[in-house]
Amino acid sequence: MQVSVETTQGLERRLTITVPADSVDSAVKSRLQQLAKTQRINGFRPGKVPVSVIKKRFGAAVRQEVAGDVMQQNFYQAIVQEKINPAGMPKFELVKDEDGQDLEFVAAFEIYPEVEVKGVEEIEIEKPVVEITDADLDNMMETLQKQHATWKEVRRKAKKDDRIVIDFTGTVDGEEFEGGKAEDFTLELGKDRMIPGFEEPLVGAKKGEDVTVEVTFPEDYHAEALKGKAAVFSVSVKKVEGQELPEVDEEFAKLFGVDEGGVEALKAEVRKNMERELSQTLKTTLKEDVISKLIEKNEFDVPEALIEQEVNALREQAKQRFSQQAGGAQNMPELPAELFKDNALRRVRIGLLLGEIIKQNELKADDDKVMALIETSASAYEDPQEVIDYYKGNEELMNQMRNVALEEQAIEWVLENAKTQDVTKAFDEVMNKQA
């Protein structure tokens, strides 16, 4: 086997491989002989068909099949011989394939880039330090109350967090437009679910009042005819409703599965959940900061083959999410690759950078960290031990957790070598930003 390597552009490579004629011809002959033993042809006894007859009838197909196998086998031998690390499958082009002559083919593919992690010591990272205060707990309890609030009509001006029932008619240049009219429409003020500027004039309105609302449709509005257009809405307020929050008592605690210990037990459980969510948010925020700055410091070419693989993975994830939400993905159109390409490129870069850190530092998944990750994940379930046992009994899930642990260890290595500074932040500041 003769091999020549050509760099065409960036990470693209072309191998021209020549395979001696005798090895190809002997493989063809052997396969024809095997075929002669099994083929049934009129005029010949089973297993007694001459190879010459088999060759005349099946020779071209057999040679094509052998050529495919030869290209595969010799390609893998060639990349081992030349110490090349391909990214993705090659494209084969058969250049010469004739009886009695050397077989020649070209394999075109991309290679993995040589990644050198640089600039880590120049990276500056802020590490948020957050304490959950009693006031934070009180706010969370109030949020839980609002989730179980009831609505009652009130005889006063509407304010933020109230709910109003309205009729409205919208016009553009004095003409009504499709979708701009509704009756008995319920609107919760302060949620910003309408066109920007629609809610503000309604704060302070009372039942029976008519309000004129002037807005401008956003340039990216979904209806083409309304993009950037000024509109006037005539709004009639038919009802104002205020929230009635439930009492925080033992009955309230039971709504959240706390059957013993009452309010104090509920607060303890809520604080525990807040601590778990805060810990996860801080870890995620810190990781994203590290990764973003690591990418900024390290520019390198990325194989299109890897980006395409990641695009397909992201597209499949989107299909699965749609299937879960809509009850099936069979009617979902094929999403264009461009929707996923930027995210796919970033994910491939991250994988290559973290992989190089793991390789250069000979990092191995820490068993204690793996178990800590599993226990954290399990703590959100009613029976954590059952979840832990399930992980332990599933090698695929365990390997997934080992990979997560390795990734975290790579992030920790960056933090150990970067410039870090603790910054005190409030719970709401961190959690609201994440939301």
Side-chain angles (χ1 to χ4, degrees), residues 280 283 358 364-379 381 387-388 390-392 394-409:
Q280 188 58 47
K283 184 186 293 184
I358 291 167
K364 305 293 181 186
D366 182 273
D367 290 341
D368 290 340
K369 181 176 284 293
V370 172
M371 282 309 304
L373 287 168
I374 293 172
E375 288 167 2
T376 299
S377 177
S379 66
Y381 293 85
V387 177
I388 293 169
Y390 182 72
Y391 267 93
K392 287 181 175 180
N394 188 314
E395 191 60 21
E396 183 179 348
L397 286 177
M398 288 299 293
N399 282 331
Q400 288 177 12
M401 276 302 183
R402 290 184 188 109
N403 289 335
V404 173
L406 263 179
E407 190 174 275
E408 286 196 4
Q409 288 169 233

Side-chain angles (χ1 to χ4, degrees), residues 65 74 85 95 117 145 164 186 191 235 281 294-295 303 315 352 390 396 432:
E65 185 180 295
N74 284 270
N85 188 14
V95 178
V117 182
Q145 283 180 279
I164 59 175
T186 300
K191 300 298 184 183
V235 183
T281 298
L294 198 58
I295 289 175
R315 184 188 275 138
L352 291 172
Y390 182 72
E396 183 179 348
N432 289 340

Side-chain angles (χ1 to χ4, degrees), residues 117 120 353-364 406 409-414 416-417:
V117 182
V120 174
L353 282 167
L354 295 182
E356 186 62 22
I357 289 171
I358 291 167
K359 175 184 171 184
Q360 290 298 321
N361 294 280
E362 298 181 350
L363 300 179
K364 305 293 181 186
L406 263 179
Q409 288 169 233
I411 296 293
E412 288 167 2
W413 179 86
V414 175
E416 288 169 4
N417 291 275

Side-chain angles (χ1 to χ4, degrees), residues 152-167:
K152 183 178 180 181
E153 186 172 0
V154 293
R155 302 291 180 178
R156 58 167 172 75
K157 294 180 179 180
K159 60 183 182 180
K160 184 180 176 183
D161 294 330
D162 279 348
R163 197 166 73 174
I164 59 175
V165 179
I166 57 176
D167 294 342

